[in-house]
Amino acid sequence: MQLSNPPGRPTLADTLRQRRQRLAERVQFPVALWSGRSASRNFPANVHPFRASSHFLYFAGLPIANAAVRLEAGRLELFMDAATAADRLWHGEATGRDQVAAAIGAAAAYPLSHLADRLDGAATIPVMETATRQQQAAWLKRELPAAKALQAIDQQLASAIVELRLIHDELAIAEMRRAAAVTVKAHRAGMQATLGTTTEAEIRAAMEAVITAHNMSTAYSSIVTVQGEVLHNNAYDHAIQPGDLLLADVGAETESGWASDVTRSWPATGRFSPTQRDIYDLVLAAHDACIQAAQPGIEYRDLHLTAAQVLAAGLVDLDILRGTVEQLVEQDAHALFFPHGIGHLLGLDVHDMEDLGDLAGYAAGRSRSERFGLGYLRLDRPLQAGMVVTIEPGFYQVPALLHDPERRRQYQDQVNWERLAQFADLRGIRIEDDVLITPTGAEILTQDLPTAADQIEALVSGD
Ligand code: GLY
Ligand code: MN
Ligand code: MN
């Protein structure tokens, strides 16, 4: 566990003090947040990797298992047990409670069980992991429904936390820059490993090796696939054939939980076919147009519609779609090929704060659209300086959409199916970067990873 502060960065204790001060300005009741613990596999000591709850991490800063913090009026109390003799035997000497307390600026520190008597009138956010959620409910002496249906006091807390976590402070941005830098290296390694490899698994291994070597983990299950049309494809067993396109959506997460989320698509041979390149350049045009337009005050939904318009216009130029751009987007014809949203919030989690449903993603009074082309939009707010969002347009040929008889009927006049058949050598392309909204525009945190087709080809082929 990293307790020292790298030079030139705000200290952890100072940052945490500011975060809880800002929370105290928003809620007048005590707050208890649990970190959670590892779930066991087949015997208690064989556990899945531990990942602390992000709400805990935001205020406690360090990934401590089976711990909690109590926050009230800007004061932090830490609750965690000292290591037992058995813990020390099997896991070695752990950082002690007092050391952790000093690093995070706790006013007091106690064994975990002491928290049970300090919960009168306290709000919490339920953790995802079941055993800890049961402890939360038992000690708070009330039901804890899933975080999407919170009780009133917890709902107020969640809204306050969303306000804080939407706008990242200096330490958070520094951490996301670290995650982004390692992710960029991982993608370069994946591209450079491609010519010598025959399976998706080998490319995944080359990418995750970089992340592991930096003592980071993946922020989500990596997608490394020749079947890019399967949006969340977590199989890695396909052989790579000449002519395939690889789609790799891989992101590192720092030790303290800050995420990155990057996708690149590249040709297995190091050369795009003409049809692959046409569509790649079109997806890149949508990506660039969105980032160009991103700045405070701009509606994220409008960025999504910008991507839809660029894609629709390009598909008309390629004679795949027919009609006016305005009508095609209104009819959601673009969504046949771009069925997801343009991106999401990024922070301590990929899809940051989606454990709270749409509370973070959707501004008050807004809710998901029923439209095919808008329903998967995960963020519908005006952008503000300090937000980090992904921009990730794509083009996919999803059989479940394109072979659906009803959709084919619906879009029979808008899609030139014969022309589309000439693009059969590409299944899925996505280009995804992490973008910090600045006071005057946007900064791409992952800009050191090229996007231009020529540069991608050069990285893969080693030219
Ligand atoms: N890596 C998941 C996503 O891009 O949303
Ligand atoms: Mn993403
Ligand atoms: Mn992604």
Side-chain angles (χ1 to χ4, degrees):
M1 196 160 18
Q2 174 71 261
L3 292 184
S4 60
N5 286 288
R9 290 224 324 228
T11 71
L12 179 63
D14 283 346
T15 297
L16 298 179
R17 186 174 310 113
Q18 283 160 14
R19 289 179 188 167
R20 54 182 189 266
Q21 205 52 53
R22 294 177 65 216
L23 182 68
E25 287 158 17
R26 288 167 173 78
V27 301
Q28 274 65 52
F29 41 75
V31 169
L33 296 170
W34 275 254
S35 68
R37 60 189 98 155
S38 307
S40 290
R41 290 177 52 168
N42 60 325
F43 66 97
N46 184 14
V47 291
H48 290 285
F50 171 66
R51 173 53 161 77
S53 142
S54 294
H55 301 298
F56 172 91
L57 277 176
Y58 189 74
F59 292 102
L62 298 173
I64 317 155
N66 205 19
V69 290
R70 184 180 183 283
L71 306 162
E72 187 169 18
R75 186 173 188 273
L76 181 150
E77 293 170 342
L78 171 69
F79 296 84
M80 65 180 273
D81 291 331
T84 63
D87 288 338
R88 297 210 300 275
L89 169 64
W90 290 99
H91 305 296
E93 295 298 332
T95 311
R97 185 166 52 219
D98 291 342
Q99 242 180 313
V100 172
I104 68 176
Y110 309 100
L112 180 62
S113 60
H114 289 211
L115 179 62
D117 298 328
R118 305 268 295 129
L119 290 172
D120 271 357
T124 196
I125 307 287
V127 299
M128 304 291 267
E129 174 257 314
T130 319
T132 301
R133 200 165 65 240
Q134 284 167 354
Q135 183 181 79
Q136 285 179 281
W139 288 5
L140 285 159
K141 302 190 182 66
R142 57 189 171 87
E143 302 256 308
L144 279 184
K148 288 182 194 171
L150 295 174
Q151 293 193 5
I153 188 173
D154 299 338
Q155 189 72 34
Q156 278 182 55
L157 170 62
S159 297
I161 289 179
V162 165
E163 272 184 45
L164 300 191
R165 286 183 53 189
L166 269 178
I167 308 298
H168 294 297
D169 54 35
E170 205 184 327
L171 188 67
I173 293 168
E175 283 290 286
M176 279 190 272
R177 285 188 197 283
R178 289 179 58 227
V182 170
T183 299
V184 166
K185 282 190 190 171
H187 277 261
R188 285 179 184 272
M191 291 181 209
Q192 284 159 355
T194 299
L195 284 188
T197 49
T198 53
T199 68
E200 297 161 337
E202 290 170 86
I203 297 176
R204 175 196 180 196
M207 299 180 79
E208 292 192 1
V210 173
I211 294 173
T212 308
H214 286 81
N215 198 29
M216 293 192 187
S217 51
T218 51
Y220 51 90
S221 296
S222 301
I223 298 166
V224 183
T225 183
V226 292
Q227 295 187 348
E229 81 282 10
V230 180
L231 295 181
H232 282 173
N233 193 340
N234 293 128
Y236 311 99
D237 55 347
H238 297 106
I240 298 166
Q241 310 289 348
D244 279 340
L245 279 184
L246 259 298
L247 184 154
D249 183 346
V250 176
E253 171 179 298
T254 67
E255 308 88 300
S256 53
W258 295 92
S260 62
D261 180 11
V262 169
T263 307
R264 288 293 184 271
S265 308
W266 64 82
T269 57
R271 293 280 172 259
F272 289 104
S273 73
T275 42
Q276 290 170 344
R277 194 171 178 126
D278 280 344
I279 299 290
Y280 184 92
D281 285 345
L282 177 54
V283 174
L284 184 56
H287 165 276
D288 291 352
C290 290
I291 295 177
Q292 183 70 34
Q295 62 175 41
I298 290 286
E299 290 286 348
Y300 192 75
R301 185 177 187 275
D302 287 342
L303 296 187
H304 177 77
L305 290 170
T306 296
Q309 284 156 4
V310 172
L311 289 170
L315 293 174
V316 169
D317 289 346
L318 290 170
D319 196 25
I320 292 173
L321 285 181
R322 289 175 167 167
T324 67
V325 169
E326 200 174 49
Q327 273 176 346
L328 288 167
V329 171
E330 241 165 55
Q331 293 160 343
D332 292 326
H334 66 281
L336 279 173
F337 306 103
F338 172 44
H340 59 71
I342 190 64
H344 49 83
L345 294 166
L346 189 70
L348 274 166
D349 279 305
V350 72
H351 297 198
D352 205 27
M353 297 183 277
E354 280 190 23
D355 62 315
L356 302 173
D358 280 338
L359 188 68
Y362 275 62
R366 299 184 185 180
S367 57
R368 296 264 180 154
S369 166
E370 299 282 312
R371 268 178 61 180
F372 170 45
L374 284 170
Y376 287 114
L377 186 59
R378 297 172 178 278
L379 177 57
D380 184 4
R381 287 183 174 275
L383 295 176
Q384 290 173 259
M387 282 183 177
V388 177
V389 299
T390 67
I391 295 294
E392 49 179 305
F395 176 98
Y396 313 90
Q397 299 206 54
V398 182
L401 293 178
L402 298 181
H403 296 170
D404 174 40
E406 192 167 325
R407 286 201 202 280
R408 279 187 94 99
R409 245 191 326 274
Q410 186 184 353
Y411 292 109
Q412 64 185 351
D413 296 334
Q414 285 89 353
V415 179
N416 179 350
W417 299 100
E418 278 169 25
R419 175 69 175 144
L420 181 64
Q422 294 170 8
F423 289 78
D425 69 345
L426 65 104
R427 307 172 65 147
I429 290 178
R430 178 163 63 253
I431 306 172
E432 175 175 29
D433 278 303
D434 302 344
V435 175
L436 168 67
I437 307 304
T438 65
T440 53
E443 178 192 341
I444 308 172
L445 297 178
T446 42
Q447 67 192 347
D448 288 345
L449 189 62
T451 51
D454 285 347
Q455 288 174 290
I456 297 285
E457 287 186 343
L459 274 170
V460 176
S461 61
D463 289 352

